[in-house]
Amino acid sequence: MSDISMTRYGRRAPISIQPARALAVVWFQRHRQRTALASLDDRLLADVGLSRDTARGECRKPFWHA
């Protein structure tokens, strides 16, 4: 019985970490944006068309949720 992920020399084929890296970048950006949103005052929130409650709800989301 052979493992399909093994090469003929017994080593695993190289895998790309790019998808995981790209996902981590997106998660970090969300975290930074939500942190910045939480620091805005009511005047600045009104400038971007958000209420305090809407901003608070967005800031409460975990970084892995869009």
Side-chain angles (χ1 to χ4, degrees):
M1 175 182 263
S2 66
D3 184 1
I4 61 171
S5 68
M6 303 292 269
T7 65
R8 70 185 242 191
Y9 299 108
R11 295 183 304 198
R12 291 192 174 268
I15 58 171
S16 173
I17 63 167
Q18 289 303 319
R21 184 177 185 276
L23 184 60
V25 167
V26 168
W27 284 354
F28 182 68
Q29 288 173 342
R30 282 185 195 154
H31 170 72
R32 281 188 16 199
Q33 291 169 357
R34 289 176 180 160
T35 301
L37 182 63
S39 71
L40 297 179
D41 62 15
D42 290 333
R43 181 185 56 86
L44 291 173
L45 286 172
D47 282 349
V48 294
L50 294 175
S51 68
R52 174 61 60 194
D53 290 335
T54 304
R56 191 175 294 125
E58 183 65 28
C59 293
R60 285 183 179 158
K61 289 182 183 179
F63 62 87
W64 59 87
H65 284 201

